[in-house]
Amino acid sequence: MEQLIDQFGEPRLLVFSGAVVGLLFGAAAGHSRFCLRAATVEVAERRFGPKLAIWLVAFSAALALVQLAIVTGHLDVSSARQIAGTGSLSGAVFGGLMFGVGMILARGCASRLLVLSASGNLRTIVTGLVLTLTAQAAYRGVLAPAREMLAGLWTVPGGPDRLLAEASLPLGLAAASALIVALIFGRIRGARPTELFAAALVGAAVFLGWIVTHAIAAASFEVVQVQSVTFTGPSADTLMALVNERSLPMSFGLGLVPGVFVGALGVALLKGEARIQRFGADTPMERYLVGGVLMGFGSMLAGGCAVGAGLSGGAILALTAWVAVFCMWIGAVATHSLLDLRWRRAAAT
């Protein structure tokens, strides 16, 4: 790694690493149709099927690989922002609930919107732009005071207090066992083997993100953030840089977002699924726009999206990440149940 840093420099190496991780994630998520929203819909409808299995496989794979790497000394995430910095439990609760509601309205979480946009889905492109702009407004713009007020209601100091549990070999083995159970469950519920394998690769991409940024940070004389796959922050930073800067600042996120797009596009073309999709009578724009706003603000308040908090943060046992993803589940299941009840009443009349 020292030789690579000397030859290319940390910024270029980070961009390249982000692109590789993004390609893997985009291709795997595209083929497996990995989506937290789809899993919550199955739970809300009491159909514990392949979509839930896909999410469980991805989550278990990320958790098992990351925890085993920490236990064996190959990974140190103590400097990751999800652990080292001051966290917000109130932000995780309110932000997670908002994100869960938003992804039901927009019919996809942040990562799913990016993957679908690569196949020509104009609805997800518009929703993703709204999500990104709202996230930027919540981070540095007009919505920042509201975010800071909600986040400040209940905070937790960085360090051990932000860990749900210490990494241990039994925990890593338990996560590996959960992965095996999720794979078996997926096959029983009708998921194809290639989809389950791709779901495991989604978790592996999260693991790879932690590993490569840790390796670069350990070998660099500069301060390099140890991080993994997340979408709201990198998407907002990339968009704002395109608008405001003559040259893009090189970072892991700068390579990640285009990498995911290219990986998902490749899978969509190979499977013949690339086609233009627009808003219609059954897909009203206002519903997607509201969903995008809720996800943009919610992800910034919660400290991550369904992948940034749910997989990347969850894999390192960050307390706020687990609270956030739990609240995403609650918000999504409740929202879908209420909408489903409304549709049934309307159909009955």
Side-chain angles (χ1 to χ4, degrees):
M1 184 59 69
E2 290 87 351
Q3 293 179 348
L4 290 175
I5 291 175
D6 291 339
Q7 184 174 357
F8 300 105
E10 292 93 341
R12 288 190 180 89
L13 198 56
L14 283 169
V15 172
F16 177 77
S17 300
V20 171
V21 172
L23 281 169
L24 176 61
F25 185 97
H31 182 67
S32 65
R33 290 179 169 81
F34 166 81
C35 180
L36 176 58
R37 176 254 174 191
T40 61
V41 167
E42 286 190 343
V43 172
E45 296 178 353
R46 296 175 177 84
R47 295 185 295 108
F48 305 108
K51 302 299 182 183
L52 175 61
I54 292 295
W55 190 86
L56 290 174
V57 167
F59 182 83
S60 300
L63 180 61
L65 290 170
V66 169
Q67 288 302 303
L68 289 173
I70 293 174
V71 169
T72 56
H74 292 92
L75 177 63
D76 180 8
V77 295
S78 60
S79 63
R81 66 171 180 81
Q82 293 96 327
I83 294 176
T86 300
S88 171
L89 287 172
S90 56
V93 172
F94 293 125
L97 291 172
M98 291 177 66
F99 192 95
V101 174
M103 71 179 179
I104 292 295
L105 296 178
R107 297 187 177 180
C109 61
S111 64
R112 187 61 179 162
L113 295 180
L114 180 57
V115 169
L116 288 177
S117 67
S119 67
N121 191 318
L122 301 181
R123 300 190 300 269
T124 60
I125 292 176
V126 172
T127 307
L129 287 172
V130 172
L131 187 159
T132 301
L133 290 172
T134 305
Q136 185 65 21
Y139 182 47
R140 291 195 179 108
V142 67
L143 297 178
R147 175 186 59 80
E148 292 169 354
M149 182 272 292
L150 291 172
L153 295 176
W154 186 10
T155 61
V156 56
D161 289 339
R162 285 197 72 179
L163 275 176
L164 185 68
E166 292 287 345
S168 64
L169 183 58
L171 180 59
L173 294 176
S177 300
L179 172 60
I180 295 173
V181 171
L183 289 169
I184 296 172
F185 169 70
R187 286 298 294 139
I188 293 174
R189 305 309 293 178
R192 291 182 295 174
T194 57
E195 292 175 339
L196 294 171
F197 178 70
L201 288 180
V202 170
V206 170
F207 164 73
L208 183 60
W210 285 119
I211 283 291
V212 295
T213 56
H214 167 260
I216 295 172
S220 175
F221 289 105
E222 304 295 331
V223 177
V224 174
Q225 182 181 359
V226 179
Q227 60 185 307
S228 188
V229 181
T230 188
F231 291 102
T232 309
S235 296
D237 291 341
T238 301
L239 179 61
M240 290 302 103
L242 287 171
V243 173
N244 295 323
E245 305 293 337
R246 290 179 176 269
S247 60
L248 295 176
M250 293 186 178
S251 65
F252 181 81
L254 179 63
L256 176 70
V257 175
V260 172
F261 187 91
V262 172
L265 175 60
V267 168
L269 291 173
L270 288 173
K271 298 176 70 173
E273 297 177 348
R275 63 185 183 278
I276 299 298
Q277 298 182 57
R278 301 177 176 85
F279 290 101
D282 296 331
T283 54
M285 177 183 285
E286 59 272 19
R287 171 174 165 161
Y288 283 78
L289 297 183
V290 172
V293 170
L294 288 173
M295 282 195 290
F297 187 85
S299 60
M300 279 298 173
L301 181 58
C305 60
V307 173
L311 262 65
S312 295
I316 62 173
L317 299 179
L319 172 62
T320 50
W322 279 69
V323 172
V325 75
F326 175 76
C327 290
M328 289 176 191
W329 273 89
I330 296 298
V333 169
T335 302
H336 182 80
S337 299
L338 290 173
L339 290 177
D340 186 56
L341 178 62
R342 179 182 175 185
W343 291 330
R344 291 184 180 183
R345 287 179 176 175
T349 58

